[in-house]
């Protein structure tokens, strides 16, 4: 600028031309400043897009929206897209890991009974078929393994229907004491075989509960069945319902069986997780029962609370509404 004025002085040009030169200088300075300012931010947007393309999400530079500043809004949008993509990729990776683990677990679970069935069938064909001392127990073992496969197929189909949302839960008032009685009757024979008694304690002020009776029956079957399976001869399973002050019903299924060591407690509801694999398998367990229970209860907005002590027993509890929720107030 000073140099310009000096030149003008030198050339003895003043007045109009000075104004023109001043205007030009200001325009140029503004343009340069604007260009640098814009170019910097465009370069930042390009770098962010590059980072997104190369999945370098930890390098994304945070941007902020400034009202009236379109370029910053663009930077913010690019940054947000990066964040969304990072979450999607993370979810995809987790789903992929889950799928791989799940298939690995399922094939592992299938292999054992299939291997046993083959083994027993081959031994029978190799001659044991004509030895009644051996053939009968072998056929019984084949049947037990077929039952295991049947249980696994049923639980897997149930779990996948629940997880994919294919299985719609119904919501209705139903007779809770009757449902519990029906369930215990269903399991009476299994309990007798293991010399375990089932007790039910439901006060008379509990008549109805609100939820899906079919699915909740499954919850009771799984919990009571576990109470029988993981118990000792002479043990008991007790189903208790109690009305809470907020008109919800607290239900517990408690046993005095083998219990669950505390470090396993928060994992027993995971698919295929078992404390004692061979005990579970010998009882026809699939390792999916509590995962199914947890899902069904979650669909009822209820949480499964587990309390257990080794060699003392376990208690599984959850709450259900006793009335149609809207009518409760
Ligand atoms: P499983 O088909 O093996 O019984 P579950 O999902 O029902 O599968 O239970 C998972 C594991 O939790 C069982 O293998 C067992 O180790 C433990 N478990 C469940 N219920 C009880 C219980 N009432 N007492 C002791 N252990 C239990």
């Amino acid at each position: 600028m000073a140099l310009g004025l000096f030149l003008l002085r030198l050339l003895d040009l003043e007045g109009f031309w000075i104004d023109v030169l001043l205007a030009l200088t200001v325009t140029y300075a503004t343009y340069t400043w604007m260009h640098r300012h814009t170019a910097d931010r465009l370069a930042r947007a390009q770098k962010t897009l590059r980072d997104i393309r190369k999945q370098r999400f930890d390098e994304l530079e945070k941007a902020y929206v400034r009202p009236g500043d379109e370029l910053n809004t663009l930077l913010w949008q690019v940054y947000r897209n990066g964040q969304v993509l990072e979450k999607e990729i993370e979810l995809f990776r987790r789903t992929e890991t889950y799928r791989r683990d799940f298939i690995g677990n399922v094939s592992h679970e299938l292999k054992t009974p299939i291997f046993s069935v083959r083994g027993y069938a081959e031994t029978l064909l190799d001659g044991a078929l004509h030895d009644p001392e051996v053939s009968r127990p072998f056929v019984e073992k084949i049947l037990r393994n077929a039952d295991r496969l049947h249980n696994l197929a049923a639980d897997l189909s149930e779990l996948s229907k629940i997880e994919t949302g294919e299985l719609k839960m119904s919501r209705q008032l139903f007779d809770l004491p009757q449902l519990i009685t029906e369930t215990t009757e269903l399991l009476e024979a299994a309990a007798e075989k293991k010399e375990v008694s089932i007790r039910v304690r439901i006060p008379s002020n509990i008549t109805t509960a609100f939820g899906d009776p079919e699915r909740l029956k499954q919850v009771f079957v799984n919990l009571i069945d576990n109470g029988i399976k993981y118990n000792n001869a002479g043990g008991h399973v007790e189903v208790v319902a109690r009305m809470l002050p907020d008109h919800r019903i607290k239900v517990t299924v408690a046993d005095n069986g083998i219990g669950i060591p505390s470090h396993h407690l928060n994992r027993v509801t995971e698919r295929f997780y078992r404390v004692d694999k061979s005990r579970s398998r010998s009882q026809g367990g699939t390792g999916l029962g509590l995962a199914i229970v947890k899902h069904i209860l979650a669909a009822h907005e209820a949480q499964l609370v587990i309390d257990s002590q080794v060699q003392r027993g376990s208690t599984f509890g959850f709450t259900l509404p006793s009335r149609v929720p809207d009518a409760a107030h």
Side-chain angles (χ1 to χ4, degrees):
M1 172 86 94
L3 184 68
L5 285 172
F6 173 74
L7 281 174
L8 282 175
R9 280 271 133 75
L10 211 66
L11 297 171
D12 206 16
L13 284 171
E14 285 194 31
F16 171 73
W17 290 110
I18 289 185
D19 289 346
V20 169
L21 193 69
L22 264 175
L24 281 175
T25 314
V26 168
T27 310
Y28 178 73
T30 311
Y31 171 77
T32 312
W33 180 82
M34 288 278 292
H35 180 264
R36 188 161 306 153
H37 194 58
T38 312
D40 277 357
R41 289 190 292 167
L42 282 176
R44 227 180 104 184
Q46 278 173 354
K47 179 182 178 301
T48 310
L49 285 171
R50 226 177 9 253
D51 286 342
I52 293 172
R53 198 174 64 242
K54 299 201 166 159
Q55 296 185 20
R56 294 189 298 231
F57 296 110
D58 46 344
E59 287 184 24
L60 292 188
E61 208 179 319
K62 194 164 178 140
Y64 298 93
V65 174
R66 284 195 220 124
D69 186 337
E70 283 87 358
L71 210 54
N72 244 61
T73 308
L74 179 74
L75 269 179
W76 181 79
Q77 274 173 358
V78 172
Y79 168 73
R80 281 291 299 139
N81 279 325
Q83 279 193 319
V84 170
L85 208 66
E86 181 182 14
K87 281 209 185 87
E88 292 288 320
I89 290 176
E90 174 61 27
L91 181 69
F92 171 76
R93 286 202 182 121
R94 255 188 286 138
T95 316
E96 191 49 28
T97 312
Y98 163 75
R99 197 187 62 87
R100 220 179 308 121
D101 288 355
F102 193 72
I103 292 175
N105 281 328
V106 171
S107 58
H108 178 77
E109 293 295 326
L110 288 172
K111 262 185 216 153
T112 325
I114 291 174
F115 189 74
S116 304
V117 168
R118 273 197 73 127
Y120 292 125
E122 273 168 10
T123 317
L124 284 171
L125 286 176
D126 284 349
L129 198 58
H130 306 292
D131 179 351
E133 292 258 316
V134 184
S135 61
R136 193 176 170 83
F138 273 27
V139 171
E140 279 169 2
K141 281 179 179 150
I142 290 178
L143 195 63
R144 229 185 359 258
N145 279 288
D147 284 345
R148 263 180 72 182
L149 287 169
H150 168 83
N151 291 346
L152 187 64
D155 278 359
L156 277 174
S157 128
E158 195 66 23
L159 193 64
S160 81
K161 275 193 226 152
I162 296 173
E163 286 189 345
T164 54
E166 196 185 313
L167 197 89
K168 294 275 170 276
M169 304 275 164
S170 76
R171 286 301 181 104
Q172 64 194 77
L173 272 186
F174 63 91
D175 188 331
L176 181 69
Q178 190 194 329
L179 183 106
I180 293 176
T181 309
E182 276 172 24
T183 316
T184 52
E185 279 169 8
L186 211 65
L187 295 166
E188 205 56 65
E192 251 171 50
K193 205 166 154 197
K194 287 216 62 187
E195 295 173 48
V196 171
S197 60
I198 307 177
R199 306 171 190 162
V200 177
R201 275 200 290 134
I202 306 176
S204 57
N205 64 342
I206 292 179
T207 50
T208 57
F210 183 72
D212 184 330
E214 271 305 302
R215 301 291 146 234
L216 289 168
K217 191 169 181 176
Q218 239 176 318
V219 167
F220 283 112
V221 167
N222 279 331
L223 294 181
I224 300 171
D225 189 38
N226 279 351
I228 299 169
K229 280 194 306 198
Y230 304 108
N231 216 322
N232 308 305
H236 64 255
V237 182
E238 195 168 45
V239 187
V240 178
R242 185 162 59 88
M243 186 66 89
L244 300 175
D246 62 356
H247 298 290
R248 293 182 68 79
I249 303 168
K250 167 107 191 168
V251 185
T252 53
V253 177
D255 63 68
N256 61 344
I258 63 170
I260 302 168
S262 57
H263 60 282
H264 289 285
L265 269 185
N266 57 356
R267 297 205 59 191
V268 286
T269 54
E270 286 175 20
R271 301 167 198 86
F272 300 113
Y273 194 88
R274 292 135 158 153
V275 176
D276 179 345
K277 283 192 183 62
S278 60
R279 179 161 184 150
S280 158
R281 291 209 177 104
S282 69
Q283 311 272 345
T286 61
L288 295 174
L290 289 183
I292 293 174
V293 165
K294 192 173 85 170
H295 274 296
I296 296 175
L297 291 179
H300 286 80
E301 283 117 43
Q303 209 191 338
L304 181 69
V305 179
I306 313 174
D307 190 20
S308 186
Q309 273 185 305
V310 175
Q311 293 312 333
R312 293 201 159 204
S314 315
T315 304
F316 295 80
F318 58 91
T319 57
L320 289 174
S322 63
R323 312 166 173 181
V324 181
D326 284 343
H329 302 288

